Amino acid sequence: MILLEYEAKNIIASHNIAIPSGQIMAKDTVIVHAPFLPLVIKAQVPIGGRGKLGGIRVIDTGRDYEESVKKLWHTKLRNHLPSMLLLEEKLDIDREFYLSLLIDAASADILIVAHPSGGIEVEENDQDDFLKLPYVPGEENRIGESLAELFDLPDQVFVLQDMVRNLGQCFVKNDATLLEVNPLILTKSGDLVVADCKMTLDDAAAFRHPEWDFETPIESNNFVELDATGTIATVANGAGLAMATVDAVTSAGYRPINFLDVGGGASEDLILESFTNLQSYPNIKAIVINIFAGITRCDDVAKAIVAAKNRFPTLPPLYIRLTGTNFDEAATILNEAHIELQRDLDSCLKRLVKEVARG
Ligand code: GDP
Ligand code: MN
């Protein structure tokens, strides 16, 4: 699960990492006058490289502010419209660094990766020039010294040691798989501040994080259009299950319209929104729903299905497999609405083949 920048920053700030001061602007609300100046407006979309795509605007005077806000609400960044805008104090940049923690798949260790020139051109750096160190709890002081040397910041050794300690704890405690700070900024007044942060959490750990409650924008990586002229839409949770569902539909002789992973913890609203998108495909004949509920709750899915049925009288037939958390409640809700459930994906497809022409 990829967090939006402001969500990631809220988490690291709670681990005593310095972030710029700022505020969030929710969709459809407009803060008419710049609440402070100068500021940076940042489109909250779950992708990197927003600077180059026009999703980051530095505002020095009040006159540019309103137009920029309006523009950003309507700027699609690689197919993502922002669900929020983040307004932040503009930092006076002296230098930009790159610093990240990630799970090294080969060793299963947490790895620290750093480079003295961060920012939007970080990919231009030679891969071999990145400093890579295993993150070992207890060794933060040594790691902080290495970073101070790499960044040529001898005065900031203590700050970097604390930062490694705090980022490391934050990473482990939140079951992150990636925590990328780019850029880490040295301001002209000598402060180290996290100007941008990307964080990915391990979906498999969701069960031990009841506090996880994030925006998962539907038009994200989780939705992939496969064939706009296809006939069968799919809704699943978890990338693996979503792929398996698409494959099964293909094997049964149909052209799937899409891949959709509604994610762990998908809410009723989010699921309803996905129906809104799907039912607009012109050749849609059926929707196959395959949910293995963990943190997502079957009853939320069931309520969304019933709501979708009510809202869209032309909704095509649904072939639904649900299992997991709150299944019994879900079965009752669907039963009362006369919506049939299938035992497993196989049963869904058998029914589909029986009732819907291939092609
Ligand atoms: P990304 O392109 O999605 O990674 O977005 P970032 O938040 O990293 O912003 C991209 C670039 O915008 C940064 O590398 C900075 O050069 C610039 N930028 C971001 N915040 C500030 C700021 O507060 N002040 C200034 N001067 N530049 C900023
Ligand atoms: Mn960045």
Side-chain angles (χ1 to χ4, degrees), residues 115-172:
H115 198 287
S117 51
I120 57 176
E121 303 293 349
V122 75
E123 277 95 17
E124 305 297 313
N125 297 324
D126 194 326
Q127 272 303 314
D128 296 337
D129 292 344
F130 283 82
L131 174 75
K132 296 188 179 112
L133 292 172
Y135 165 73
V136 183
E139 304 266 300
E140 289 88 350
N141 287 350
R142 191 180 46 76
I143 298 168
E145 278 167 31
S146 304
L147 291 177
E149 193 178 324
L150 178 77
F151 296 163
D152 191 24
L153 294 175
D155 299 346
Q156 305 274 2
V157 176
F158 296 137
V159 175
L160 285 164
Q161 287 173 334
D162 277 344
M163 190 171 284
V164 171
R165 220 179 320 276
N166 292 334
L167 285 176
Q169 278 171 10
C170 176
F171 188 94
V172 173

Short mmCIF file of all heavy atoms in Angstrom, two decimals, residues 115-172:
data_model
loop_
_atom_site.label_atom_id
_atom_site.label_comp_id
_atom_site.label_asym_id
_atom_site.label_seq_id
_atom_site.Cartn_x
_atom_site.Cartn_y
_atom_site.Cartn_z
N HIS A 115 22.43 9.25 -1.04
CA HIS A 115 23.24 9.91 -2.07
C HIS A 115 23.31 11.39 -1.74
O HIS A 115 22.31 11.99 -1.33
CB HIS A 115 22.62 9.70 -3.46
CG HIS A 115 23.59 9.97 -4.57
ND1 HIS A 115 23.98 11.24 -4.91
CD2 HIS A 115 24.27 9.12 -5.39
CE1 HIS A 115 24.86 11.16 -5.91
NE2 HIS A 115 25.06 9.89 -6.22
N PRO A 116 24.51 11.99 -1.94
CA PRO A 116 24.63 13.41 -1.57
C PRO A 116 23.91 14.35 -2.52
O PRO A 116 23.70 15.51 -2.17
CB PRO A 116 26.14 13.66 -1.60
CG PRO A 116 26.71 12.56 -2.43
CD PRO A 116 25.79 11.39 -2.30
N SER A 117 23.52 13.88 -3.72
CA SER A 117 22.69 14.80 -4.52
C SER A 117 21.33 14.19 -4.79
O SER A 117 21.17 13.33 -5.65
CB SER A 117 23.39 15.26 -5.80
OG SER A 117 23.86 14.18 -6.51
N GLY A 118 20.36 14.66 -4.04
CA GLY A 118 18.98 14.21 -4.18
C GLY A 118 18.19 15.19 -5.01
O GLY A 118 18.75 16.07 -5.65
N GLY A 119 16.86 15.02 -4.98
CA GLY A 119 16.01 15.93 -5.74
C GLY A 119 15.47 15.24 -6.98
O GLY A 119 15.56 14.01 -7.11
N ILE A 120 14.93 16.04 -7.87
CA ILE A 120 14.18 15.44 -8.99
C ILE A 120 15.09 14.75 -10.00
O ILE A 120 14.64 13.94 -10.78
CB ILE A 120 13.28 16.47 -9.71
CG1 ILE A 120 14.10 17.65 -10.22
CG2 ILE A 120 12.18 16.96 -8.81
CD1 ILE A 120 13.27 18.64 -11.03
N GLU A 121 16.40 15.03 -9.96
CA GLU A 121 17.31 14.40 -10.92
C GLU A 121 18.02 13.20 -10.31
O GLU A 121 19.02 12.75 -10.84
CB GLU A 121 18.35 15.41 -11.42
CG GLU A 121 17.78 16.66 -12.06
CD GLU A 121 17.06 16.37 -13.37
OE1 GLU A 121 17.17 15.23 -13.89
OE2 GLU A 121 16.36 17.27 -13.86
N VAL A 122 17.49 12.67 -9.22
CA VAL A 122 18.26 11.64 -8.50
C VAL A 122 18.54 10.41 -9.37
O VAL A 122 19.58 9.77 -9.24
CB VAL A 122 17.54 11.25 -7.18
CG1 VAL A 122 16.33 10.39 -7.44
CG2 VAL A 122 18.51 10.57 -6.22
N GLU A 123 17.63 10.11 -10.28
CA GLU A 123 17.84 8.93 -11.13
C GLU A 123 19.05 9.07 -12.05
O GLU A 123 19.55 8.09 -12.58
CB GLU A 123 16.59 8.64 -11.99
CG GLU A 123 15.52 7.85 -11.27
CD GLU A 123 14.47 8.76 -10.65
OE1 GLU A 123 14.42 9.93 -11.06
OE2 GLU A 123 13.73 8.31 -9.76
N GLU A 124 19.46 10.33 -12.27
CA GLU A 124 20.61 10.55 -13.15
C GLU A 124 21.92 10.07 -12.51
O GLU A 124 22.91 9.86 -13.19
CB GLU A 124 20.76 12.05 -13.48
CG GLU A 124 19.52 12.68 -14.08
CD GLU A 124 19.16 12.06 -15.42
OE1 GLU A 124 20.08 11.90 -16.25
OE2 GLU A 124 17.98 11.72 -15.62
N ASN A 125 21.90 9.92 -11.19
CA ASN A 125 23.12 9.47 -10.51
C ASN A 125 23.44 8.03 -10.86
O ASN A 125 22.54 7.21 -11.03
CB ASN A 125 22.96 9.59 -8.99
CG ASN A 125 22.75 11.02 -8.53
OD1 ASN A 125 23.33 11.93 -9.09
ND2 ASN A 125 21.92 11.20 -7.52
N ASP A 126 24.71 7.73 -10.93
CA ASP A 126 25.15 6.36 -11.19
C ASP A 126 24.73 5.47 -10.02
O ASP A 126 24.95 5.81 -8.86
CB ASP A 126 26.69 6.37 -11.33
CG ASP A 126 27.18 5.07 -11.94
OD1 ASP A 126 26.56 4.02 -11.67
OD2 ASP A 126 28.17 5.13 -12.68
N GLN A 127 24.09 4.35 -10.33
CA GLN A 127 23.63 3.43 -9.29
C GLN A 127 24.74 3.06 -8.32
O GLN A 127 24.51 2.91 -7.12
CB GLN A 127 23.07 2.15 -9.95
CG GLN A 127 21.59 2.22 -10.30
CD GLN A 127 20.73 2.53 -9.08
OE1 GLN A 127 20.90 1.95 -8.01
NE2 GLN A 127 19.83 3.49 -9.22
N ASP A 128 25.96 2.91 -8.86
CA ASP A 128 27.07 2.47 -8.01
C ASP A 128 27.50 3.53 -7.01
O ASP A 128 28.23 3.23 -6.06
CB ASP A 128 28.29 2.10 -8.89
CG ASP A 128 27.96 0.91 -9.78
OD1 ASP A 128 27.04 0.15 -9.44
OD2 ASP A 128 28.63 0.76 -10.83
N ASP A 129 27.07 4.76 -7.23
CA ASP A 129 27.50 5.84 -6.35
C ASP A 129 26.63 5.98 -5.10
O ASP A 129 26.92 6.79 -4.23
CB ASP A 129 27.49 7.18 -7.10
CG ASP A 129 28.58 7.21 -8.16
OD1 ASP A 129 29.47 6.34 -8.09
OD2 ASP A 129 28.51 8.07 -9.05
N PHE A 130 25.53 5.22 -5.04
CA PHE A 130 24.69 5.29 -3.84
C PHE A 130 25.36 4.52 -2.70
O PHE A 130 25.86 3.41 -2.90
CB PHE A 130 23.31 4.68 -4.12
CG PHE A 130 22.40 5.59 -4.91
CD1 PHE A 130 22.50 5.64 -6.29
CD2 PHE A 130 21.46 6.38 -4.27
CE1 PHE A 130 21.68 6.48 -7.03
CE2 PHE A 130 20.63 7.21 -5.01
CZ PHE A 130 20.75 7.26 -6.39
N LEU A 131 25.35 5.14 -1.53
CA LEU A 131 25.86 4.44 -0.35
C LEU A 131 24.79 3.46 0.12
O LEU A 131 23.62 3.83 0.27
CB LEU A 131 26.15 5.46 0.76
CG LEU A 131 26.56 4.85 2.11
CD1 LEU A 131 28.00 4.35 2.07
CD2 LEU A 131 26.39 5.88 3.24
N LYS A 132 25.17 2.21 0.32
CA LYS A 132 24.22 1.21 0.80
C LYS A 132 24.77 0.57 2.06
O LYS A 132 25.87 0.03 2.07
CB LYS A 132 23.98 0.14 -0.26
CG LYS A 132 23.33 0.70 -1.51
CD LYS A 132 22.92 -0.39 -2.49
CE LYS A 132 22.25 0.23 -3.70
NZ LYS A 132 23.00 0.12 -4.93
N LEU A 133 23.98 0.65 3.14
CA LEU A 133 24.40 0.11 4.43
C LEU A 133 23.26 -0.68 5.02
O LEU A 133 22.12 -0.23 4.95
CB LEU A 133 24.69 1.24 5.41
CG LEU A 133 25.88 2.16 5.19
CD1 LEU A 133 25.81 3.31 6.19
CD2 LEU A 133 27.17 1.38 5.36
N PRO A 134 23.53 -1.83 5.62
CA PRO A 134 22.43 -2.49 6.34
C PRO A 134 22.05 -1.64 7.55
O PRO A 134 22.92 -1.06 8.21
CB PRO A 134 23.03 -3.83 6.78
CG PRO A 134 24.50 -3.69 6.64
CD PRO A 134 24.79 -2.57 5.70
N TYR A 135 20.73 -1.54 7.80
CA TYR A 135 20.29 -0.83 9.00
C TYR A 135 20.31 -1.82 10.15
O TYR A 135 19.56 -2.81 10.13
CB TYR A 135 18.88 -0.25 8.81
CG TYR A 135 18.25 0.17 10.12
CD1 TYR A 135 18.69 1.31 10.77
CD2 TYR A 135 17.26 -0.61 10.70
CE1 TYR A 135 18.15 1.68 11.98
CE2 TYR A 135 16.70 -0.24 11.92
CZ TYR A 135 17.15 0.90 12.56
OH TYR A 135 16.61 1.26 13.76
N VAL A 136 21.16 -1.56 11.14
CA VAL A 136 21.25 -2.45 12.29
C VAL A 136 20.89 -1.64 13.53
O VAL A 136 21.59 -0.69 13.88
CB VAL A 136 22.69 -3.01 12.43
CG1 VAL A 136 22.76 -4.00 13.59
CG2 VAL A 136 23.16 -3.64 11.14
N PRO A 137 19.76 -1.99 14.19
CA PRO A 137 19.40 -1.26 15.41
C PRO A 137 20.57 -1.33 16.39
O PRO A 137 21.19 -2.38 16.56
CB PRO A 137 18.18 -2.03 15.93
CG PRO A 137 17.62 -2.71 14.72
CD PRO A 137 18.79 -3.04 13.85
N GLY A 138 20.87 -0.20 17.00
CA GLY A 138 22.02 -0.15 17.91
C GLY A 138 23.25 0.46 17.24
O GLY A 138 24.17 0.91 17.91
N GLU A 139 23.26 0.45 15.91
CA GLU A 139 24.41 0.98 15.17
C GLU A 139 24.11 2.35 14.57
O GLU A 139 24.80 2.79 13.64
CB GLU A 139 24.79 0.02 14.03
CG GLU A 139 25.07 -1.39 14.46
CD GLU A 139 26.55 -1.61 14.70
OE1 GLU A 139 27.33 -1.42 13.75
OE2 GLU A 139 26.92 -1.94 15.85
N GLU A 140 23.07 3.00 15.07
CA GLU A 140 22.64 4.26 14.46
C GLU A 140 23.72 5.33 14.48
O GLU A 140 23.83 6.14 13.55
CB GLU A 140 21.38 4.80 15.16
CG GLU A 140 20.12 4.00 14.88
CD GLU A 140 19.91 2.84 15.85
OE1 GLU A 140 20.85 2.54 16.64
OE2 GLU A 140 18.83 2.24 15.83
N ASN A 141 24.52 5.34 15.57
CA ASN A 141 25.55 6.39 15.65
C ASN A 141 26.58 6.24 14.54
O ASN A 141 26.98 7.21 13.91
CB ASN A 141 26.23 6.36 17.02
CG ASN A 141 25.30 6.89 18.11
OD1 ASN A 141 24.24 7.45 17.79
ND2 ASN A 141 25.68 6.73 19.36
N ARG A 142 26.98 5.02 14.31
CA ARG A 142 27.97 4.77 13.26
C ARG A 142 27.37 5.12 11.88
O ARG A 142 28.03 5.76 11.05
CB ARG A 142 28.39 3.29 13.29
CG ARG A 142 29.59 2.97 12.44
CD ARG A 142 29.95 1.49 12.51
NE ARG A 142 28.79 0.60 12.36
CZ ARG A 142 28.19 0.34 11.20
NH1 ARG A 142 28.62 0.90 10.10
NH2 ARG A 142 27.15 -0.46 11.16
N ILE A 143 26.12 4.71 11.68
CA ILE A 143 25.47 4.99 10.39
C ILE A 143 25.33 6.51 10.18
O ILE A 143 25.60 7.04 9.11
CB ILE A 143 24.09 4.30 10.31
CG1 ILE A 143 24.26 2.78 10.40
CG2 ILE A 143 23.37 4.67 9.01
CD1 ILE A 143 22.96 2.01 10.62
N GLY A 144 24.93 7.20 11.25
CA GLY A 144 24.80 8.66 11.19
C GLY A 144 26.13 9.32 10.82
O GLY A 144 26.17 10.27 10.04
N GLU A 145 27.23 8.79 11.37
CA GLU A 145 28.55 9.33 11.02
C GLU A 145 28.85 9.13 9.53
O GLU A 145 29.38 10.03 8.86
CB GLU A 145 29.65 8.64 11.84
CG GLU A 145 29.82 9.22 13.22
CD GLU A 145 30.68 8.33 14.12
OE1 GLU A 145 31.60 7.64 13.59
OE2 GLU A 145 30.42 8.30 15.34
N SER A 146 28.52 7.94 9.03
CA SER A 146 28.76 7.68 7.61
C SER A 146 27.97 8.65 6.74
O SER A 146 28.46 9.13 5.71
CB SER A 146 28.36 6.25 7.23
OG SER A 146 29.03 5.34 8.03
N LEU A 147 26.72 8.91 7.14
CA LEU A 147 25.89 9.82 6.35
C LEU A 147 26.45 11.24 6.41
O LEU A 147 26.51 11.94 5.39
CB LEU A 147 24.45 9.82 6.86
CG LEU A 147 23.65 8.54 6.61
CD1 LEU A 147 22.25 8.65 7.23
CD2 LEU A 147 23.52 8.24 5.11
N ALA A 148 26.89 11.66 7.59
CA ALA A 148 27.44 13.01 7.74
C ALA A 148 28.66 13.17 6.83
O ALA A 148 28.87 14.22 6.22
CB ALA A 148 27.82 13.27 9.19
N GLU A 149 29.42 12.10 6.72
CA GLU A 149 30.61 12.14 5.86
C GLU A 149 30.18 12.19 4.39
O GLU A 149 30.67 13.01 3.61
CB GLU A 149 31.45 10.90 6.13
CG GLU A 149 32.84 10.99 5.54
CD GLU A 149 33.66 9.75 5.89
OE1 GLU A 149 33.49 9.22 7.02
OE2 GLU A 149 34.42 9.30 5.03
N LEU A 150 29.24 11.32 4.03
CA LEU A 150 28.76 11.27 2.64
C LEU A 150 28.18 12.62 2.21
O LEU A 150 28.43 13.10 1.10
CB LEU A 150 27.69 10.18 2.50
CG LEU A 150 27.05 10.03 1.12
CD1 LEU A 150 28.00 9.29 0.18
CD2 LEU A 150 25.72 9.29 1.19
N PHE A 151 27.38 13.22 3.09
CA PHE A 151 26.72 14.48 2.76
C PHE A 151 27.65 15.68 2.98
O PHE A 151 27.26 16.81 2.69
CB PHE A 151 25.45 14.67 3.64
CG PHE A 151 24.36 13.65 3.40
CD1 PHE A 151 23.34 13.48 4.34
CD2 PHE A 151 24.33 12.86 2.24
CE1 PHE A 151 22.32 12.55 4.13
CE2 PHE A 151 23.31 11.93 2.04
CZ PHE A 151 22.31 11.77 2.98
N ASP A 152 28.82 15.41 3.52
CA ASP A 152 29.74 16.49 3.88
C ASP A 152 29.07 17.49 4.84
O ASP A 152 29.04 18.69 4.59
CB ASP A 152 30.26 17.19 2.61
CG ASP A 152 31.42 18.13 2.93
OD1 ASP A 152 32.09 17.91 3.96
OD2 ASP A 152 31.63 19.09 2.17
N LEU A 153 28.52 16.92 5.91
CA LEU A 153 27.83 17.74 6.92
C LEU A 153 28.39 17.42 8.31
O LEU A 153 27.67 16.90 9.17
CB LEU A 153 26.32 17.45 6.91
CG LEU A 153 25.51 17.84 5.68
CD1 LEU A 153 24.07 17.35 5.83
CD2 LEU A 153 25.53 19.36 5.47
N PRO A 154 29.66 17.76 8.53
CA PRO A 154 30.26 17.39 9.82
C PRO A 154 29.52 17.97 11.03
O PRO A 154 29.50 17.36 12.10
CB PRO A 154 31.69 17.94 9.73
CG PRO A 154 31.69 18.90 8.58
CD PRO A 154 30.60 18.47 7.66
N ASP A 155 28.86 19.12 10.84
CA ASP A 155 28.16 19.74 11.97
C ASP A 155 26.85 19.05 12.32
O ASP A 155 26.23 19.36 13.33
CB ASP A 155 27.81 21.20 11.64
CG ASP A 155 29.05 22.02 11.37
OD1 ASP A 155 30.15 21.52 11.71
OD2 ASP A 155 28.92 23.12 10.81
N GLN A 156 26.40 18.17 11.42
CA GLN A 156 25.06 17.60 11.59
C GLN A 156 25.10 16.13 12.04
O GLN A 156 24.10 15.42 11.92
CB GLN A 156 24.28 17.67 10.27
CG GLN A 156 24.17 19.06 9.68
CD GLN A 156 22.99 19.83 10.26
OE1 GLN A 156 22.27 19.34 11.12
NE2 GLN A 156 22.80 21.06 9.78
N VAL A 157 26.27 15.69 12.52
CA VAL A 157 26.39 14.27 12.90
C VAL A 157 25.27 13.85 13.87
O VAL A 157 24.60 12.86 13.65
CB VAL A 157 27.76 13.98 13.54
CG1 VAL A 157 27.83 12.53 14.02
CG2 VAL A 157 28.88 14.22 12.55
N PHE A 158 25.08 14.64 14.91
CA PHE A 158 24.08 14.25 15.93
C PHE A 158 22.67 14.23 15.34
O PHE A 158 21.87 13.35 15.63
CB PHE A 158 24.13 15.19 17.14
CG PHE A 158 25.44 15.13 17.87
CD1 PHE A 158 26.06 16.29 18.32
CD2 PHE A 158 26.07 13.90 18.10
CE1 PHE A 158 27.28 16.23 19.00
CE2 PHE A 158 27.28 13.83 18.78
CZ PHE A 158 27.89 15.00 19.22
N VAL A 159 22.40 15.22 14.50
CA VAL A 159 21.08 15.29 13.87
C VAL A 159 20.86 14.06 13.00
O VAL A 159 19.79 13.44 13.02
CB VAL A 159 20.96 16.58 13.03
CG1 VAL A 159 19.63 16.62 12.28
CG2 VAL A 159 21.11 17.81 13.91
N LEU A 160 21.87 13.69 12.23
CA LEU A 160 21.73 12.54 11.33
C LEU A 160 21.64 11.23 12.12
O LEU A 160 20.91 10.32 11.74
CB LEU A 160 22.89 12.50 10.33
CG LEU A 160 22.75 13.56 9.22
CD1 LEU A 160 24.06 13.76 8.48
CD2 LEU A 160 21.65 13.16 8.24
N GLN A 161 22.36 11.16 13.23
CA GLN A 161 22.27 9.95 14.07
C GLN A 161 20.84 9.81 14.61
O GLN A 161 20.26 8.72 14.58
CB GLN A 161 23.27 10.04 15.22
CG GLN A 161 24.71 9.84 14.74
CD GLN A 161 25.74 10.10 15.83
OE1 GLN A 161 25.50 10.86 16.76
NE2 GLN A 161 26.90 9.47 15.69
N ASP A 162 20.29 10.90 15.07
CA ASP A 162 18.90 10.87 15.56
C ASP A 162 17.94 10.52 14.44
O ASP A 162 16.97 9.78 14.63
CB ASP A 162 18.50 12.23 16.15
CG ASP A 162 18.98 12.36 17.58
OD1 ASP A 162 19.33 11.32 18.18
OD2 ASP A 162 19.02 13.50 18.09
N MET A 163 18.21 11.07 13.27
CA MET A 163 17.32 10.82 12.14
C MET A 163 17.32 9.35 11.77
O MET A 163 16.28 8.75 11.52
CB MET A 163 17.75 11.68 10.94
CG MET A 163 16.73 11.67 9.83
SD MET A 163 17.11 12.86 8.54
CE MET A 163 16.63 14.38 9.30
N VAL A 164 18.50 8.73 11.76
CA VAL A 164 18.59 7.30 11.45
C VAL A 164 17.82 6.50 12.50
O VAL A 164 17.04 5.60 12.18
CB VAL A 164 20.07 6.84 11.40
CG1 VAL A 164 20.16 5.32 11.30
CG2 VAL A 164 20.78 7.48 10.22
N ARG A 165 18.01 6.88 13.76
CA ARG A 165 17.31 6.19 14.85
C ARG A 165 15.79 6.30 14.66
O ARG A 165 15.06 5.32 14.70
CB ARG A 165 17.70 6.84 16.19
CG ARG A 165 17.91 5.87 17.33
CD ARG A 165 18.32 6.55 18.63
NE ARG A 165 19.26 7.67 18.51
CZ ARG A 165 20.60 7.52 18.43
NH1 ARG A 165 21.15 6.32 18.45
NH2 ARG A 165 21.38 8.59 18.32
N ASN A 166 15.33 7.52 14.40
CA ASN A 166 13.89 7.76 14.30
C ASN A 166 13.29 7.13 13.04
O ASN A 166 12.22 6.53 13.09
CB ASN A 166 13.61 9.26 14.33
CG ASN A 166 13.93 9.86 15.68
OD1 ASN A 166 13.90 9.16 16.70
ND2 ASN A 166 14.27 11.14 15.71
N LEU A 167 13.99 7.28 11.94
CA LEU A 167 13.48 6.67 10.69
C LEU A 167 13.47 5.15 10.80
O LEU A 167 12.53 4.49 10.35
CB LEU A 167 14.34 7.10 9.48
CG LEU A 167 14.15 8.53 8.96
CD1 LEU A 167 15.14 8.81 7.84
CD2 LEU A 167 12.72 8.75 8.46
N GLY A 168 14.51 4.60 11.42
CA GLY A 168 14.59 3.14 11.58
C GLY A 168 13.43 2.63 12.42
O GLY A 168 12.75 1.66 12.06
N GLN A 169 13.20 3.31 13.54
CA GLN A 169 12.08 2.89 14.42
C GLN A 169 10.75 3.03 13.70
O GLN A 169 9.87 2.18 13.79
CB GLN A 169 12.06 3.74 15.68
CG GLN A 169 13.05 3.25 16.72
CD GLN A 169 13.18 4.23 17.89
OE1 GLN A 169 12.40 5.17 18.01
NE2 GLN A 169 14.17 3.99 18.74
N CYS A 170 10.62 4.12 12.97
CA CYS A 170 9.39 4.38 12.23
C CYS A 170 9.15 3.28 11.20
O CYS A 170 8.04 2.76 11.06
CB CYS A 170 9.52 5.75 11.55
SG CYS A 170 8.13 6.16 10.51
N PHE A 171 10.21 2.91 10.51
CA PHE A 171 10.14 1.88 9.47
C PHE A 171 9.66 0.55 10.06
O PHE A 171 8.72 -0.07 9.57
CB PHE A 171 11.53 1.72 8.83
CG PHE A 171 11.57 0.84 7.62
CD1 PHE A 171 11.47 1.40 6.35
CD2 PHE A 171 11.72 -0.53 7.72
CE1 PHE A 171 11.52 0.61 5.21
CE2 PHE A 171 11.77 -1.34 6.59
CZ PHE A 171 11.67 -0.76 5.34
N VAL A 172 10.31 0.14 11.15
CA VAL A 172 10.01 -1.16 11.74
C VAL A 172 8.61 -1.16 12.36
O VAL A 172 7.81 -2.06 12.13
CB VAL A 172 11.07 -1.52 12.80
CG1 VAL A 172 10.68 -2.78 13.55
CG2 VAL A 172 12.44 -1.68 12.14
#
